[in-house]
Amino acid sequence: MRTVTIVGASLAGLYAARELRAQGFDGRLVIVGAEPHHPYDRPPLSKDFLLGRADENRLALADPEETAALDAEWLLGVRARGLDTRGRTVLLGDGGTVSTDGVVIATGAAARRLPGDSLAGVHTLRTLDDARALRADLTRGPRRVVVIGGGFIGAETASSCARLGHAVTVVEAAPLPLVPQLGARMAAVCAALHRRGGVELVTGTGVAALRGTATVTGVDLTDGRTLPADVVIVGIGAVPHTSWLTGSALALHDGVLCDDGCVTALPQVVAVGDVARAGGTRAEHWTSATEQPRVAVTNLLAGRTLTTARPVPYFWSDQYGCRIQFAGRYREGDTVHVTEGEIADDGAPGASGFLARYERDGRTVAVLGVDRPRAFLRARRALQRTEGRPDERRRVAPAVL
């Protein structure tokens, strides 16, 4: 394998490049990125960057010395438009091509959009350019902000907007925010955090339309109400960047389908990060983007699936001054017990936070910590020992791109 091309220049793509060099690949390394920026950290965009506490230099994931040490060709501001598996070629949006022996797909996902969201004042928050535009809009004096979607991005952005002094309303179609991830009881705790933070939470109703001609003026809800708005933030999930792979030999279904080793139907094509549906699951979390490349690169260089991994899922979120950490796999019907700390009378976390355990068939399958980092770390490690599946080794017949 003389040339490897990484399509996607964000977190997962950078970690894949690091792994390639760390695992001994000394050939030509090409990194294609749709954005004009070198890899940057996305989690601060909804928090410290939006609040003005972190400038763009602090977002960089690699310093110039490390970037140079990777000895890669960076093709930034260029989208991939196709993968010719027969011709071993990545087709680029500017008309160029890259001949390659191996491919790492790390194209991530794009923010899901609403009809009419081209109005001025309507934002998504996925990229650095998105965050720049939103931050500029929020500096124009007190704004009436409506956040559509009570997931992690929506909650973090609402928290930051409230902290900046804006009047904020969160609209969530479900009865409670984060029910699929945390279950009803713990989702109610997150709902209480919104109220404690001075944010109005509207649940159980969807968005019918956005109002305005050139600039947004309001949000029409499906229950007939209209919320006045100067700024609207759409946080209703993400769609994996796979359209450029249409017509290739790869299987696509809400991501690029891979085995537990991140290997696609073609062993010399692997996928990592938000775009990868590895072992039947697509995880849009920072930890997946940093852990998957090690296994994926090992298998890519071998030309077959040598090692697989299915770590215990983990994510965190910062909302209203609280650090929320979750590890494990929640399923509807699991019982939840607060084992340390307490939930306050207003339904939000107590002053010292809490640790909760999710149980199924007599065993702990997930843990949630709010402002209990040490206790959560211990519980997470114990969960990894019991619920994590160690790397498995198996032989698969090699194939060529």
Side-chain angles (χ1 to χ4, degrees):
M1 191 171 288
R2 292 171 294 182
T3 300
V4 173
T5 301
I6 300 172
V7 186
S10 192
L11 180 69
L14 174 64
Y15 270 71
R18 288 171 173 169
E19 282 293 336
L20 280 160
R21 293 310 190 200
Q23 294 189 32
F25 177 71
D26 59 1
R28 181 187 180 211
L29 177 58
V30 182
I31 303 175
V32 179
E35 295 184 58
H37 318 292
H38 278 275
Y40 59 88
D41 204 15
R42 295 184 192 275
L45 294 180
S46 59
K47 300 181 280 286
D48 287 349
F49 183 81
L50 206 58
L51 291 169
R53 298 191 305 210
D55 59 23
E56 294 182 17
N57 291 332
R58 288 182 57 189
L59 299 179
L61 287 169
D63 59 34
E65 291 76 14
E66 182 190 3
T67 302
L70 288 174
D71 190 23
E73 299 174 34
W74 295 84
L75 305 180
L76 300 177
V78 180
R79 290 186 178 275
R81 64 176 178 86
L83 178 62
D84 179 358
T85 53
R86 214 168 236 210
R88 297 187 176 192
T89 303
V90 176
L91 311 177
L92 304 179
D94 63 2
T97 60
V98 179
S99 298
T100 191
D101 303 303
V103 177
V104 180
I105 299 171
T107 41
R112 196 181 298 276
R113 308 191 73 90
L114 283 176
D117 66 1
S118 59
L119 293 170
V122 180
H123 300 267
T124 56
L125 186 53
R126 183 81 186 182
T127 68
L128 175 57
D129 291 338
D130 291 340
R132 286 172 172 169
L134 178 57
R135 190 164 76 168
D137 219 351
L138 292 173
T139 59
R140 295 172 183 161
R143 323 287 322 202
R144 296 168 299 179
V145 178
V146 174
V147 179
I148 301 173
F152 294 111
I153 293 296
E156 291 175 359
T157 306
S159 171
S160 295
C161 290
R163 200 162 185 170
L164 289 169
H166 303 292
V168 183
T169 302
V170 174
V171 179
E172 170 56 53
L176 289 166
L178 299 172
V179 168
Q181 294 85 0
L182 304 179
R185 185 182 177 195
M186 293 298 110
V189 175
C190 293
L193 276 177
H194 286 291
R195 293 190 293 270
R196 182 186 282 182
V199 169
E200 182 182 358
L201 179 62
V202 177
T203 60
T205 185
V207 172
L210 301 179
R211 286 204 171 192
T213 50
T215 302
V216 70
T217 59
V219 177
D220 290 339
L221 304 181
T222 53
D223 64 5
R225 285 181 289 173
T226 296
L227 303 176
D230 306 303
V231 173
V232 172
I233 300 156
V234 181
I236 54 174
V239 181
H241 276 302
T242 58
S243 60
W244 68 283
L245 294 167
T246 301
S248 71
L250 303 182
L252 308 175
H253 179 67
D254 186 36
V256 180
L257 270 61
C258 317
D259 63 17
D260 281 343
C262 299
V263 179
T264 70
L266 300 171
Q268 272 131 330
V269 180
V270 297
V272 293
D274 292 356
V275 75
R277 179 167 285 278
T281 302
R282 190 172 69 83
E284 296 180 15
H285 300 304
W286 196 92
T287 46
S288 298
T290 58
E291 292 174 353
Q292 288 177 343
R294 177 184 59 81
V295 170
V297 165
T298 297
N299 295 330
L300 177 69
L301 295 179
R304 62 187 186 274
T305 301
L306 284 181
T307 181
T308 67
R310 192 167 178 257
V312 174
Y314 165 68
F315 60 81
W316 78 92
S317 179
D318 296 315
Q319 304 173 22
Y320 305 101
C322 292
R323 166 59 63 97
I324 300 169
Q325 296 173 284
F326 183 89
R329 297 178 178 89
Y330 161 74
R331 223 189 270 166
E332 188 175 356
D334 292 346
T335 58
V336 187
H337 304 282
V338 175
T339 57
E340 295 185 32
E342 62 181 3
I343 296 173
D345 292 340
D346 65 354
S352 60
F354 68 85
L355 182 77
R357 297 178 185 272
Y358 293 69
E359 294 183 355
R360 186 187 315 145
D361 299 328
R363 75 180 198 278
T364 299
V365 294
V367 289
L368 171 70
V370 180
D371 291 337
R372 287 264 173 156
R374 291 183 180 177
F376 176 83
L377 180 59
R378 290 193 298 270
R380 182 189 176 196
R381 285 174 174 168
L383 189 67
Q384 286 172 326
R385 289 193 294 269
T386 58
E387 293 293 307
R389 192 171 77 196
D391 286 4
E392 302 168 352
R393 298 193 175 272
R394 61 190 179 96
R395 296 184 65 82
V396 177
V400 294
L401 182 64

